[in-house]
Amino acid sequence: METSIYFDNAATTPLKKEVLDAMMPYLTKEYGNPSSIYSLGRSSKNALEKAREQVAEAIGAKPSEIYFTGCGSEADNWAIKGTAFAKSKKGKHIISSKIEHHAVLHTLQYLEKQGFEVTYLPVDEFGKVSVEDLKSAIRPDTILITIMMANNEVGTIEPIAEIGKIARENQIVFHTDAVQAVGSIDVDVNELNVDMLSLSGHKFGGPKGVGALYIKSTVRPEVFMHGGAQERMRRAGTENVASVVGLGEAITLATNNLKEKKEKITHLREYLIENILEKIPYVKLNGHRTDRLPGNANFSFNFIEGEALLLMLDIKGIAASSGSACTSGSLDPSHVLLALGLPHEIAHGSLRISIGEQNTKEEIDKLIEVLPDVVLRLREMSPLYEEIMRNQ
Ligand code: PLP
């Protein structure tokens, strides 16, 4: 059955029509290489620079501090490895958190094999990093702090401005993975006291396979890709002009009237959460009650497997995500839910609903109508549930 209701906007978002329109010329008649000096090349170059201004404006940076990358993961890799290698003479200690995206965690694991030492800060039951824990983790050889702005699974928003202040006081480079935050909540690099920030086009109505890294002018991570002189000689390779144009257009659209959009989406989320908690027994809301991304609702249902739930919802034409990593070939429950202290069996029964700009109240109503029945049908297959019901 075709998906008719899409609730997986944290995984990716539909490309906006205006974004496609802005990209089209650069996929067709405007095919010049931005490094070429004749007018066809200059036209592509101008388009890149316009997109750079759009990204800079959206996050309060200078255009010269924006570097386009092949995706959000690349931006994270560059910020972390680039800083580690540039600063390794000063020290080899890095601070991060237990709930980072794999683009950060696996990069850190790679660095550990190269002799770096990483402190992974714990989070509380709502997914928040403690500023006090951060302060006590800082050492004379700490060279980098990398902590995400908002978590992709449970939506918890971290105290980035406070963390940035502490990093600055201790003269430690601070990177934040803001891939889930940009386009959903206000992001201003100056207010947040960050030195580097990663973002990704497909999370806010832009194309896949394009991202950006903000690098404050005073910070110098190592060059990411060696080769030509693109991206001020720091990330070589002929630019993906059409996608960069799409990213620029998408970030402008996403950050326009952000306050109204946030209110509308938060309202839908609250309506969903209230109804699910009321209509379904043995359910838990994961993440922070208020400090969370407007569109994120993450639930754990006892006695069921998240994957089975996803398949049943898919049959009903609803696309959502589970908290576990099964899609990536592992049967382990999500590292994020475990870090929040959820027992394995509960972490397995998780469902992430991520609401986007295009979703309507009617779609939420449909989910509220369908979900209690789907959960009950799955629970009826569980011996544990049967036993609990029998003993009631
Ligand atoms: N960081 C976070 C928090 C994400 O949610 C994602 C994507 O899911 C990424 C990084 C990776 O972004 P990309 O898919 O553009 O590589």
Side-chain angles (χ1 to χ4, degrees):
M1 184 182 178
E2 218 178 287
T3 297
S4 50
I5 304 184
Y6 184 74
F7 282 138
D8 203 11
N9 292 277
T12 197
T13 54
L15 187 76
K16 284 186 182 145
K17 164 87 175 63
E18 300 91 316
V19 174
L20 179 64
D21 290 345
M23 291 170 70
M24 272 317 261
Y26 300 94
L27 290 164
T28 51
K29 59 185 189 335
E30 297 282 358
Y31 53 81
N33 186 321
S35 301
S36 304
I37 56 166
Y38 43 79
S39 52
L40 196 61
R42 287 203 311 273
S43 166
S44 292
K45 177 83 179 159
N46 291 341
L48 280 183
E49 295 319 311
K50 181 181 165 207
R52 208 182 299 283
E53 281 165 24
Q54 288 174 303
V55 174
E57 197 187 324
I59 61 168
K62 294 186 208 119
S64 58
E65 295 172 318
I66 304 300
Y67 295 81
F68 292 114
T69 62
C71 53
S73 302
E74 183 186 316
D76 286 341
N77 270 259
W78 185 4
I80 297 168
K81 285 188 254 183
T83 305
F85 294 137
K87 298 247 168 213
S88 63
K89 284 203 178 72
K90 185 188 163 213
K92 289 196 156 194
H93 180 237
I94 300 172
I95 302 174
S96 187
S97 86
K98 287 191 173 166
I99 61 162
E100 299 297 310
H101 188 271
H102 285 134
V104 168
L105 286 181
H106 290 169
T107 304
L108 292 171
Q109 283 162 16
Y110 164 78
L111 286 175
E112 284 177 294
K113 288 196 197 118
Q114 310 291 315
F116 289 85
E117 205 186 318
V118 184
T119 301
Y120 298 95
L121 298 178
V123 291
D124 67 13
E125 61 180 304
F126 307 110
K128 282 242 186 204
V129 164
S130 137
V131 171
E132 291 311 312
D133 284 350
L134 171 75
K135 282 186 191 157
S136 12
I138 293 175
R139 310 190 321 206
D141 61 339
T142 307
I143 49 167
L144 171 69
I145 298 172
T146 173
I147 293 181
M148 69 198 327
M149 184 160 179
N151 183 265
N152 46 302
E153 288 189 34
V154 294
T156 304
I157 299 170
E158 301 299 339
I160 294 302
E162 271 181 84
I163 295 173
K165 192 164 164 280
I166 295 163
R168 216 150 265 180
E169 281 162 8
N170 289 276
Q171 295 179 341
I172 301 167
V173 175
F174 178 39
H175 164 250
T176 190
D177 172 346
V179 167
Q180 289 290 335
V182 171
S184 285
I185 53 174
D186 299 292
V187 174
D188 182 307
V189 291
N190 296 310
E191 282 171 16
L192 294 173
N193 305 316
V194 294
D195 295 313
M196 286 183 287
L197 179 144
S198 307
L199 59 94
S200 174
H202 72 108
K203 304 290 184 180
F204 46 79
K208 295 170 184 61
V210 64
L213 180 64
Y214 156 77
I215 308 179
K216 195 177 168 64
S217 52
T218 48
V219 174
R220 298 295 286 180
E222 290 237 314
V223 166
F224 184 71
M225 188 95 86
H226 299 93
Q230 293 91 353
E231 298 300 286
R232 288 183 294 285
M233 302 188 72
R234 301 178 81 182
R235 197 272 186 187
T238 302
E239 302 87 341
N240 185 348
V241 181
S243 292
V244 165
V245 166
L247 171 74
E249 193 60 25
I251 205 166
T252 300
L253 290 170
T255 48
N256 269 350
N257 305 321
L258 188 56
K259 190 165 175 278
E260 288 79 38
K261 282 185 267 191
K262 267 190 326 195
E263 274 166 19
K264 180 203 140 192
I265 296 174
T266 304
H267 193 74
L268 290 179
R269 177 196 79 199
E270 287 302 297
Y271 176 67
L272 173 69
I273 291 176
E274 277 162 28
N275 272 277
I276 296 304
L277 296 185
E278 189 196 302
K279 293 191 168 41
I280 306 182
Y282 304 108
V283 59
K284 179 183 185 309
L285 176 73
N286 297 315
H288 199 278
R289 192 65 190 84
T290 50
D291 283 348
R292 69 190 303 141
L293 289 170
N296 176 291
N298 185 311
F299 304 100
S300 285
F301 300 96
N302 296 44
F303 320 116
I304 58 176
E305 288 290 331
E307 282 60 42
L309 188 54
L310 292 189
L311 292 175
M312 297 271 277
L313 287 176
D314 188 35
I315 293 168
K316 307 261 180 201
I318 298 173
S321 162
S322 91
S324 88
C326 292
T327 42
S328 58
S330 146
L331 281 174
D332 295 338
S334 132
H335 66 284
V336 175
L337 296 178
L338 294 183
L340 264 62
L342 260 70
H344 274 240
E345 64 281 10
I346 314 274
H348 267 298
S350 299
L351 176 71
R352 178 186 71 186
I353 301 293
S354 44
I355 306 166
E357 264 180 70
Q358 78 286 5
N359 290 124
T360 61
K361 176 159 181 300
E362 289 66 42
E363 291 176 325
I364 303 277
D365 278 329
K366 178 79 185 164
L367 180 65
I368 295 170
E369 183 198 316
V370 163
L371 196 56
D373 183 50
V374 168
V375 169
L376 183 63
R377 280 171 56 196
L378 288 171
R379 281 179 175 167
E380 282 170 351
M381 295 178 212
S382 151
L384 201 62
Y385 181 68
E386 205 188 318
E387 195 187 315
I388 286 194
M389 288 296 110
R390 225 183 302 118
N391 294 335
Q392 256 191 3

